[in-house]
Amino acid sequence: MTINIKTPDEIEKMRTVGAMAAEQLEMIEEYIKPGVTTGELDRICHNYTLDVQKAIPAPLNYRGFPKSICTSVNHVVCHGIPNDEKVLKNGDIVNIDVTLIKDEYHGDTSKTFIVGKGSVLAERLTAAAKECMYRGIRQVKPGARLGDIGHVIQTYAEKNRYSVVKEYCGHGIGKIFHDEPQVLHYGKRGTGAELKAGMTFTIEPMINAGKAAVKLLPDDWTVVTKDHKLTAQWEHTILVTETGYEIFTHRSDDTIERIT
Ligand code: MF3
Ligand code: CO
Ligand code: CO
C-alpha cells in the first residue's frame, strides 16, 4: 500500500477546495427546513458550485451517480440520491455530503442537520456521531496509526450503545476522490498504516442507533440500515501536519480546533 504525500503546492490547493466545500455546507443550512425537497437542496448546491464557486460537483456522474450532492435522510446511511419527491419534515435528520473539485483537487465534507426540532434520539445520535469524528481527528499526528483513529471512534460509539457501519470508510483524497488508504471507523490501537506529515484523507464515521448491518437498495447507491433505525454521519478532509492535523473543511460551527 502506498499512501502519497502531498507537496506544499498540492496542500495549498486542497486547503482552497476544502474551504469551499465547508462554505457550501454553511450556505445550504438556511434552506434545510420542513417542506423543502432533497432535489431542491441539490439544485441550490449545484448552482452555487458552478455559478458562485466556479468549481465542479464531484459526485455528478461519478461512477454513474446522477446528482451533485448526497442527501441521506433518517435511516439512510449514505449516498442518498436527491429527488423532487422527498420532502423533509419536522424532526427528520439529513446528512448533506458535498464534494467539490477545484484546480483538480477534491474537498469532501458532510454534516447531519436536524430539520426543525429533533427527537431526543435524533439529537443524541447526531451529537455522538460528530463526537466520534472529532475523537478520530484528534488522533491524527505523525507516528500515529490508522487503527488509533478507528479504535477511538468505535469505543465512543459503543460506549453510547450505538454501532459503527463497517462496509464504508474514510479514504485518501487529492486528485483522486477515493484513494488509498481506507480509513476504517473501527479497529485496534497500534495497528494499520503509520501516519506521516503530508498525507490527506477523510474521516467520516456512520453511526447507527441500532445494529451495524446495512443494505444497498436496488438503485445501487442508497445505503440503509437493515433494521431501519436512525443513522448519522459527519465528515471532514484532514491533513497530517508535522505537529498534528489541519482540517481543510473546517466550518465556523465546528467545535474542534482547525489546526494543532
Ligand atoms: N462524498 C462521499 C464520500 O464521502 C462519496 C459520494 S460518491 C457519490 O466519500 F457518487 F455517491 F456521490
Ligand atoms: Co468521503
Ligand atoms: Co463525502
Side-chain angles (χ1 to χ4, degrees), residues 58-60 62-63 65 67 69-70 79 97-99 108-109 169 171 177-178 202 204 221 233 235:
L60 188 59
Y62 177 78
R63 298 186 182 174
F65 192 80
K67 297 289 177 177
I69 59 171
C70 297
H79 305 163
D97 193 335
V98 169
T99 312
D108 187 4
T109 187
C169 57
H171 48 92
F177 190 169
H178 294 110
T202 71
E204 49 180 301
W221 280 108
Q233 179 181 26
E235 174 177 27

Side-chain angles (χ1 to χ4, degrees), residues 214-235:
V214 301
K215 97 185 161 197
L216 183 63
L217 295 189
D219 65 17
D220 264 355
W221 280 108
T222 309
V223 178
V224 299
T225 53
K226 226 177 196 167
D227 58 16
H228 280 208
K229 292 193 178 169
L230 222 50
T231 179
Q233 179 181 26
W234 296 70
E235 174 177 27

Side-chain angles (χ1 to χ4, degrees), residues 170-185:
H171 48 92
I173 184 169
K175 272 195 186 182
I176 297 172
F177 190 169
H178 294 110
D179 203 354
E180 292 173 1
Q182 294 193 42
V183 181
L184 304 181
H185 303 118

Side-chain angles (χ1 to χ4, degrees), residues 111-126:
K111 166 177 174 175
T112 296
F113 296 86
I114 299 175
V115 182
K117 172 99 181 97
S119 66
V120 171
L121 173 63
E123 298 272 1
R124 281 194 187 147
L125 177 70
T126 299

